[in-house]
Amino acid sequence: EIMTQIATRKTKVGDVLKHEYMPTTGYCRQEVTVTVAANMPVGAVLELSAGKYIWVVKANVANAVAVLVDDRVYDKAAGDHKLVVLVRGPSQVGRSKLAFADAVVSADINTASAALAAKGIEVVKQV
């Protein structure tokens, strides 16, 4: 039954996270309070607002500071939950699996990518 649940989830951690240096140290990831929104997937690009991580909207892509990497998000109702996010590098995430709260264009993704790069999170082309 668990394998069936995993197979039906849209985006998995392995789809988003391409490389993480020193993953066993917990250095790149933190468990933080994320305000979960409807349909928020693994790969959601997050910004920090009032001490909580929220899903970035188009107008705020320059504020991107983290990427959601916790598949427990699929089991959470809308609201505040403790989830694991990628908050710093050195790490790499795949560009095509990043998710935003509303429609974005390539220039918006480039802006978010630059903001994430400042945290050591490199956004790379998916191959």
Side-chain angles (χ1 to χ4, degrees), residues 22-44:
M22 300 185 297
T24 58
T25 64
Y27 179 76
C28 296
R29 303 179 191 192
Q30 288 182 346
E31 187 176 57
V32 299
T33 300
V34 176
T35 301
V36 173
N39 300 315
M40 181 185 272
V42 167

Side-chain angles (χ1 to χ4, degrees), residues 59-77:
N60 294 342
V61 292
N63 298 335
V65 296
V67 178
L68 181 64
V69 293
D70 194 331
D71 62 2
R72 294 177 300 168
V73 69
Y74 297 115
D75 302 322
K76 303 295 184 190

Side-chain angles (χ1 to χ4, degrees), residues 16 28-58 60-70 73 79-88 93 97-102 104 111-117 119 121 123:
V16 176
C28 296
R29 303 179 191 192
Q30 288 182 346
E31 187 176 57
V32 299
T33 300
V34 176
T35 301
V36 173
N39 300 315
M40 181 185 272
V42 167
V45 178
L46 306 172
E47 68 176 297
L48 194 55
S49 176
K52 299 176 188 174
Y53 287 81
I54 61 171
W55 203 1
V56 164
V57 295
K58 179 181 176 74
N60 294 342
V61 292
N63 298 335
V65 296
V67 178
L68 181 64
V69 293
D70 194 331
V73 69
D80 293 344
H81 300 280
K82 290 285 191 181
L83 293 170
V84 177
V85 301
L86 189 66
V87 293
R88 66 180 71 84
V93 293
K97 293 298 182 176
L98 295 180
F100 298 85
D102 51 3
V104 294
T111 299
S113 296
L116 291 170
K119 296 287 189 178
I121 302 169
V123 178

